[in-house]
Amino acid sequence: MKRSSLLFWGGSGISVLLLVLLLRKIDFHSLAEALGRLDLRFLAAAVLFTFLSYWLRAVRWRYLLIHERSLRLSSLYPAVIIGYMANNLFPARLGEFIRAWVLAEREQMQAPAVFASLVIDRLFDGFSVMVMLAGVLLTLQLPPGMEQSAAVLRAGGVTTLIFYSVVIASLVLLKVRPVATLALLGKLLKPFPAAVAEKCIPLAGSFLGGLHVSRRTADLLAVLVSSLLIWLSATLPIYLVLVGFGIHLPLSASFFIMVLLVFAVMVPAAPGYIGTYHLACYTGLAAFGLPDAESVSVALVIHGVGFFPVILAGLYHVWSQGVSLANMRKQAVPDGAHQ
């Protein structure tokens, strides 16, 4: 069985299990009443800020690729939207590969080098989350009895920090000793057919070539400021949905929920993080004493804000650029990656 199939069915199983656990004690009449109280004006604002966060991601990506070429946002933004749409439709976060492939095709660039920029992009995300987590732990007063949750957050933060530190150290070694690294890769690929090495080594070389960031102060500042604005605009939809339900919690509570959601999407799940996303959001809301039906309602709406609109927008950009969904998935993953 292909690994992608295993990931899909394994993740789907986790999603179904978590949804069953979440919904089995919910009174659906109360759930419908809670959903009926939502002020749609705040829902519309939440969707707008969600798309603002995607636009800001395109801005940051532009500065991460500026050493390769100065790219137009009209090319970068559709690729970002298509990538996030793909994460909602395909398993194993294939949207990251698809996002790189779409931009590479449109701008006639090397896909591995573009994908390398997304590795740096995710590293900035990781450390942004660490800053956000630190701010939550320092400023948010969790209700009594939530000491264990705070301890879990700290443990998760430390684990994630160690992970990203190891990744950065590995990338630095790859950049400092590229020839030795490619030679080692060649030795590791010896047990495989020669055609595999012939394809993988040039791809790895292209990937390594893209692993750097502009050293200009203005470019680095743009990356840092856009990272801050990305996570602020991505968190505001949570706050706006809460207000739309008539729930008034401090903004730091929305950051707390966002951190839980970031950890949740790391768990294997069905496309769109169904189940893991809802349970994390519900857990964060329940910590503040919200009733189960209300917590689930908010979780469903927050997930929907980042799920349905981006799929519709992604399908529009796929159509406007004449991209085939089937070909997009096939071309985004190197041959043999599904095996």
Side-chain angles (χ1 to χ4, degrees):
M1 185 180 291
K2 293 182 179 181
R3 288 185 182 179
S4 58
S5 297
L6 288 172
L7 288 170
F8 175 79
W9 290 112
S12 296
I14 292 173
S15 291
V16 170
L17 176 62
L18 292 179
L19 281 177
V20 169
L21 291 174
L22 184 62
L23 296 175
R24 66 177 181 172
K25 295 183 179 180
I26 299 300
D27 175 30
F28 287 92
H29 178 70
S30 300
L31 180 64
E33 286 185 345
L35 287 170
R37 293 196 297 270
L38 176 63
D39 188 330
L40 296 182
R41 293 173 300 175
F42 289 97
L43 178 62
V47 172
L48 288 175
F49 273 104
T50 298
F51 279 101
L52 175 61
S53 72
Y54 295 142
W55 183 81
L56 288 167
R57 285 188 175 279
V59 171
R60 182 174 68 183
W61 199 13
R62 179 178 184 273
Y63 284 99
L64 290 176
L65 282 167
I66 205 164
H67 61 275
E68 294 280 342
R69 189 190 306 171
S70 181
L71 297 170
R72 300 165 297 170
L73 288 175
S74 59
S75 293
L76 292 158
Y77 178 71
V80 170
I81 295 295
I82 291 172
Y84 275 87
M85 175 204 71
N87 277 338
N88 287 340
L89 296 177
F90 300 140
R93 298 184 71 95
L94 288 184
E96 304 302 323
F97 293 96
I98 289 170
R99 175 178 161 187
W101 177 76
V102 168
L103 182 67
E105 285 289 299
R106 183 180 175 94
E107 295 292 336
Q108 298 299 302
M109 300 172 69
Q110 290 291 323
V114 177
F115 183 72
S117 71
L118 292 183
V119 174
I120 306 298
D121 181 271
R122 288 305 181 188
L123 288 175
F124 275 100
D125 273 345
F127 282 101
S128 297
V129 171
M130 293 302 98
V131 172
M132 188 161 56
L133 174 59
V136 166
L137 292 175
L138 289 173
T139 62
L140 181 63
Q141 294 296 320
L142 292 175
M146 293 301 296
E147 292 80 7
Q148 186 175 0
S149 296
V152 170
L153 279 178
R154 291 189 186 95
V158 170
T159 302
T160 308
L161 179 61
I162 292 173
F163 170 76
Y164 279 107
S165 298
V166 170
V167 170
I168 287 178
S170 301
L171 294 177
V172 169
L173 287 175
L174 289 176
K175 287 297 293 182
V176 172
R177 303 291 299 277
V179 175
T181 300
L182 293 177
L184 176 61
L185 177 61
K187 291 179 181 179
L188 294 174
L189 290 175
K190 277 188 176 180
F192 298 91
V196 175
E198 289 173 2
K199 184 167 292 187
C200 289
I201 291 178
L203 286 174
S206 183
F207 176 82
L208 289 174
L211 278 175
H212 66 271
V213 180
S214 171
R215 296 182 181 180
R216 291 182 60 223
T217 303
D219 295 339
L220 291 173
L221 184 61
V223 170
L224 292 173
V225 171
S226 59
S227 296
L228 172 65
L229 294 176
I230 284 168
W231 285 98
L232 177 60
S233 58
T235 303
L236 281 175
I238 298 175
Y239 180 79
L240 289 167
V241 170
L242 288 171
V243 175
F245 275 100
I247 301 167
H248 298 281
L249 293 174
L251 183 58
S252 56
S254 297
F255 280 105
F256 168 68
I257 294 168
M258 175 57 78
V259 171
L260 293 179
L261 293 176
V262 170
F263 291 155
V265 301
M266 296 179 183
V267 179
Y273 322 112
I274 294 172
T276 54
Y277 194 102
H278 298 87
L279 184 61
C281 190
Y282 164 83
T283 301
L285 293 166
F288 295 95
L290 269 68
D292 286 349
E294 199 166 33
S295 296
V296 173
S297 298
V298 175
L300 289 171
V301 172
I302 290 174
H303 180 262
V305 164
F307 187 80
F308 297 108
V310 74
I311 288 178
L312 293 175
L315 290 174
Y316 166 77
H317 287 298
V318 165
W319 169 79
S320 66
Q321 297 191 40
V323 180
S324 163
L325 282 174
N327 188 51
M328 182 172 65
R329 182 181 178 184
K330 178 182 176 182
Q331 296 296 329
V333 184
D335 292 340
H338 291 298
Q339 303 299 323

